[in-house]
Structure formats: structure tokens, C-alpha cells
């Protein structure tokens, strides 16, 4: 505690000194890269805001330089300015070889001599040297050099030759606010009965069910599309079954989300992004906020009062007040910010008595995946040499034209703090393997006419944090089909634990990118009904949760995590929220005092839209 206080004091003093240095006659102009007017072929990546502080632009060209990004920069007075660019060398955590993630900056059509992106392996400010700017409008262009995932967070130009931007995130965040002119408190977006964080299958279901039952709902999603793992960005089919068990009406909203499953997952339209958005926008009680990421929660006496979300394209903020909140983020982002009890990793067998729990490994998690595929052409298609990627041989090459679920990484890492490295390790595996197949393998003639057609960059997670409720599901509950009085969502997926493929571990220890599933009884297990008490927080009185992060052990999570189930949890949360508002009670009090009302409502299900 004393050490934290000292660190905060040091950061405050540093901030005062920096603010003082910027408050004289010098001029500082700050640009968030994600706010560029024309992003060209660069993509906005928001997945790591909570760790590195901001969304950023990435040149995801699969080996071909992407089109330039450009924007205008308005400078209050002409002069000589120092250019700083926040970037990182994304391959540095893995190899000392020259990184491919490099780019140049052009200002007023003059190319800066410095090559950005080949410095430190952590996010940092690189000095681009001095540049002459004119008063008024100046142009800035980002020029990708390789197509291999160079990345940029922000640019800063200052006439103060003694100023160096800070790498400390708390100090940097305070300066960002000043540079962007953000108010100390974000403007109020509205007051809602239910604020839903996360627009995946669970979040859509929670919002729609609550809205149809009369609640005023805000749905906040940190991507431009809805659907989460079941979107065109990630492309995971909705698994599991709905509308059965004790409450066969549950699951109707999940089943209304467009195409159930198609043979060709390579077509983004197969995942029904438009159908999901139309479903949400057709509900007059829902206010939809796409491209907003929740960064702050105000909690007083164990109750959330409001949340603040930042726009991932322009940096503006909005504040949302609510009577109830639902964390449907998958990563439990809202619960974490609010101070909810959570777990990460795995419980030990000695703690839970679960036969499938690890004996000693408490950091075991299910991995995360990127989908990729290739396309056959009529001509030979070259692919760049990738010495910085994972290196392959005839013995360990993964001969493939596309991925499947088992291209998976991160089994022994933290799925929040290590996530960028986990994603990047998988990129290195995919690029390195494709390079070997195309250029070095004895079978390279088989791949000559294929090109790498598409590769995701938003990673599909299976497990990260789990929020703790009044009841925590274990393997025993599932194996023995324990009947709880508040059991509501019928599941029978079976315990589906993924671990690193031992064959992959033999060749790539610590960099595994392939998985095997220790799965018995897939959709043939007897039904177990997930209890309502797993869908609200045990220590934040007005917080629901629906998604893969409901209240379970690591082992039980492997049976409760698939998307038709998570969507049905969302429907239950929507129904329960309406009852909480009607009776003016907390989620826990609803169980304690109005369980029969909840059961009756679950039998009826969510009404169809009129």
C-alpha cells in the first residue's frame, strides 16, 4: 500500500513537471493514429487498450504493403517541431532479427528519414527528428513498408526541444486528455435501466430481451460490428443447443441472429453482421453504441453508479448511468473495472477435487485462435521471406491451406496482459509456416498457385477472467447433473478442455500454436441446468454477467462457454433485469425473494417483437 502511494506521488510530480514544460510558449500538437481521416489499408486494433492505453493502427497486409493512411494536421503557428511517434517493434519479444513491422511518415509530402517500428519491443515513443511546419493545415501520411503488421498509436509534434513524451501510462493518459481537450468528466450519454457492456451473442441477447420487456437499455460494443466471436471479424460458428430442458422457450433470440451455420466460413456474410445489427436497431428501447470501449467504472459501496467508454476511432468519451449493469464482454472488463471478484487460470485438483483439474499448473487456460485461409490462382504467387517468424522444417511443417479451431495459442499465458504477444506469436507461426510451404518445402510446387487470402487480426478467445457469483459451477455439478432450484439454461456440451498439442510442444516449446481437445461427451452428456446465481456478481450488487466468463471453475468453464449457451444466459439476464426493476430489488434479492416469479418468467421466455 505504501509503495503504491509513493509511486502515485512520483507520477503526480512527473505529471506536474511535464505539464509545466508544456505550458510555456511552446506548441504541442497531438494526433491519435486511429483518428486518421483516411486509414487507407491500415486497420484499427482496439484489443489491447486496457494494457497499452489506446487503440492503434496496424498495417495488416499479409506480406503486401497496405495503402497509405493520411490525415490533416492543423498547426497554430509555423516553426520547427520535434516529431515523436508511439510505436513498437512487435517481433522483438521473440527474435533479435530485423523486424518487418516498419513504416515511414511523410509530412507535407516530405518523407521523414527515420524508419519507425524497429526499436523497442514494448510500446514507446520514437524520435523522428525535426520538421518544419507551416501555420494552418499540414498533411501527414503513414507509409507501410512491408505489409507485416507495423503499428502506430499516436504522433506528437512539439516546438519544445526539451520535451520527451512519457512512457508512463497514468501520466500519458493525463497528458492525452489535455492534448485532446477532453473534459475531466465525460458527458452523460443517458440514464438507463440496464447498461450492457459487450455486443457479442450474450450482449445482444441480454439487450434485446430486456428491451422487449420494457427496459431502457444501452448496448456498448468496442468494434464496428456486433457478434464478437460469431462475427465476420473472428468467424466462430455458434455451438451448442437451445430451447430445451426445463425452459424450452429460452434461446429464441439466439436463434434469430441470422444464418445458423454455413459450409463456407470464408465468406464474412455467412456470419450475419447485418442481421444482428438490424435485430438490435429494430428495438426502440435500445441505444446502440458501436466502437465504444469501457475504460472506467464508478463503484460506490459495492454498487456501480456509472461507466465511461471511449470511442476507439476519435478518442471522445461518454458516461453511462444505470440501475443495473451486465458484463457481456467475455473478458469481464466491466466487472474488473468495478472491483468484482474474479478468477484467472485454473484451480488445482487438490482445491476442487475435480478429476480434470491440473495437479500443479495454476496458469492453465484454453487458447485463442486466428482463422486464416488461402485461395488457388492460375499463376505462381510468391511470398516474402520471413526470417523473423517461427522457423519450420520438413519434419515440423504444418502442411495446410487453411486453419481450423486447433490453430490456437496462449495456453500458459495471461489472456489479458499477454494478449498482444499471444496474437503476435500466432501471426509468426502462420507467416513462417506459409513461407516454408511456399518457398522451402520439398512440396512447394503444391502451393505455388496459392496465395494467402485472408487472416484475422482480432483474436478469438476461449477463456480469460471469470467473474464469481453466489454459486460457482464445478465439474462435479456437470458430471452429476446436480439440480439447483434456480437452474435455468440447459447445457450438454461436455467438458471441452484444450491444451497445447504435445507434438507441437516438442518442436516449439513456449511458442505452441496448435491444440488438442480433451473432450468427452460433446452434446451427448445428460443435461445440466446452469443456475441463475452464476449470472450475477457476489460482491457488486447491481452487476449481472452473461458470456464465457460466468461463475465457474476453469474445468466447468470448458463446458459452459459455447455461444448458444452464452446467448441464452443473456436472455436470462434480460428477463431477470426486468424483474429486478419491477420489484426494485438487486439480482441477489430477486433469487432470495422472487425466485418463483423468475421461474414463471423463464417459462414464458422473451416475447417476439411485435
Amino acid at each position: 500500500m505504501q509503495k503504491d502511494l509513493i509511486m502515485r506521488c512520483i507520477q503526480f510530480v512527473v505529471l506536474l513537471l511535464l505539464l509545466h514544460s508544456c505550458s510555456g510558449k511552446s506548441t504541442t500538437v497531438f494526433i491519435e493514429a486511429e483518428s486518421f481521416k483516411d486509414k487507407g489499408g491500415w486497420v484499427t486494433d482496439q484489443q489491447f487498450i486496457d494494457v497499452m492505453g489506446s487503440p492503434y493502427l496496424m498495417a495488416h497486409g499479409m506480406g503486401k504493403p497496405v495503402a497509405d493512411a493520411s490525415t490533416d494536421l492543423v498547426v497554430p503557428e509555423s516553426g520547427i517541431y520535434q516529431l515523436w511517434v508511439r510505436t513498437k517493434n512487435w517481433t522483438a519479444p521473440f527474435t533479435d532479427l530485423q523486424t518487418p513491422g516498419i513504416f515511414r511518415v511523410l509530412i507535407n509530402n516530405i518523407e521523414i528519414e527515420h524508419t519507425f517500428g524497429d526499436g523497442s519491443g514494448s510500446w514507446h515513443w520514437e524520435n523522428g527528428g525535426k520538421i518544419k511546419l507551416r501555420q494552418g493545415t499540414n498533411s501527414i501520411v503513414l507509409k507501410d513498408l512491408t505489409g507485416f503488421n507495423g503499428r502506430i498509436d499516436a504522433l506528437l509534434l512539439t516546438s519544445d526541444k526539451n520535451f520527451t513524451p512519457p512512457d508512463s501510462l497514468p501520466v500519458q493518459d493525463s497528458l492525452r486528455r489535455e492534448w485532446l481537450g477532453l473534459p475531466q468528466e465525460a458527458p452523460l450519454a443517458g440514464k438507463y435501466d440496464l447498461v450492457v457492456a459487450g455486443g457479442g451473442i450474450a450482449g445482444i441477447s441480454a439487450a434485446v430481451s430486456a428491451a422487449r420487456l420494457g427496459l431502457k437499455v444501452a448496448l456498448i460494443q468496442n468494434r464496428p460490428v456486433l457478434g464478437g466471436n460469431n462475427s465476420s471479424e473472428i468467424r466462430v460458428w455458434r455451438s451448442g443447443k437451445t430451447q430445451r430442458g426445463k425452459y424450452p422457450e429460452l434461446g429464441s433470440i439466439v436463434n434469430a441472429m441470422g444464418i445458423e451455420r454455413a459450409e463456407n466460413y470464408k465468406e464474412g456474410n455467412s456470419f450475419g453482421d447485418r442481421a444482428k445489427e438490424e435485430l438490435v436497431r429494430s428495438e426502440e428501447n435500445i441505444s446502440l453504441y458501436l466502437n465504444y470501449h469501457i475504460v472506467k467504472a464508478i463503484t460506490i459501496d459495492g454498487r456501480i453508479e456509472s461507466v465511461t467508454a471511449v470511442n476507439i476511432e476519435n478518442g471522445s468519451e461518454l458516461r453511462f448511468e444505470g440501475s443495473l449493469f451486465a458484463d457481456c464482454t467475455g473478458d469481464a472488463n466491466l466487472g474488473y473495472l468495478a472491483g468484482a471478484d474474479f478468477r484467472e487460470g485454473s484451480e488445482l485438483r487438490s482445491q476442487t477435487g475435480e478429476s480434470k483439474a491440473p495437479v500443479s499448473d495454476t496458469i492453465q487456460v484454453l487458447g485463442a485462435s486466428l482463422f486464416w485461409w488461402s485461395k488457388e490462382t492460375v499463376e505462381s504467387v510468391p511470398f516474402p521471406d520471413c526470417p523473423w517468424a517461427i522457423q519450420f522444417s520438413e519434419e515440423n511443417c504444418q502442411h495446410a491451406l487453411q486453419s481450423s479451431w486447433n490453430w490456437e495459442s496462449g495456453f500458459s499465458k495471461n489472456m489479458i496482459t499477454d494478449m498482444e504477444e499471444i496474437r503476435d506469436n500466432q501471426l509468426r507461426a502462420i507467416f513462417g509456416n506459409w513461407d516454408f510451404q511456399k518457398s522451402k518445402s520439398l512440396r512447394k510446387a503444391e502451393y505455388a498457385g496459392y496465395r494467402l487470402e485472408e487472416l484475422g487480426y482480432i483474436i478469438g478467445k476461449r477463456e480469460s477472467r471469470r467473474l464469481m457469483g453466489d454459486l460457482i459451477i464445478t465439474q462435479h455439478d456437470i458430471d452429476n447433473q446436480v439440480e439447483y432450484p434456480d437452474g435455468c439454461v440447459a447445457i450438454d456440451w461436455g467438458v471441452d478442455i484444450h491444451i497445447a498439442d504435445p507434438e507441437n510442444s516438442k518442436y516449439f516449446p513456449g511458442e505452441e500454436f496448435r491444440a488438442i481437445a480433451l473432450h468427452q461427451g460433446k452434446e451427448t452428456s445428460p443435461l445440466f441446468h446452469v443456475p441463475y446465481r452464476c449470472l450475477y456478481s457476489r460482491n457488486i450488487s447491481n452487476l449481472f454477467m452473461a458470456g464465457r466468463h460466468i461463475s465457474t471453475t476453469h474445468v466447468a468453464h470448458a463446458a459452459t462457454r459455447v455461444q448458444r449457451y452464452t446467448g441464452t444466459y443473456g436472455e436470462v439476464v434480460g428477463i431477470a433485469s426486468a424483474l429486478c426493476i419491477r420489484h426494485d430489488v438487486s439480482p441477489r434479492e430477486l433469487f432470495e425473494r422472487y425466485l418463483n416469479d423468475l421461474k414463471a418468467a423463464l417459462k414464458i421466455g422473451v416475447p417476439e417483437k411485435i
Side-chain angles (χ1 to χ4, degrees), residues 165-214:
D167 285 325
S168 163
L169 283 181
V171 175
Q172 192 177 121
D173 182 61
S174 296
L175 287 173
R176 276 181 193 266
R177 302 190 67 83
E178 179 184 343
W179 291 330
L180 294 174
L182 297 177
Q184 286 302 308
E185 184 174 65
L188 183 64
K191 298 182 179 181
Y192 296 90
D193 297 314
L194 176 66
V195 176
V196 180
I201 301 304
I204 295 170
S205 299
V208 171
S209 58
R212 289 186 183 176
L213 292 167

Side-chain angles (χ1 to χ4, degrees), residues 91-103:
T91 60
F94 309 99
T95 176
D96 293 332
L97 295 177
Q98 176 65 46
T99 181
I102 52 177
F103 60 96

Side-chain angles (χ1 to χ4, degrees), residues 116-127:
F116 296 94
D118 63 355
S120 168
S122 58
W123 283 95
H124 64 283
W125 291 95
E126 288 188 13
N127 188 337

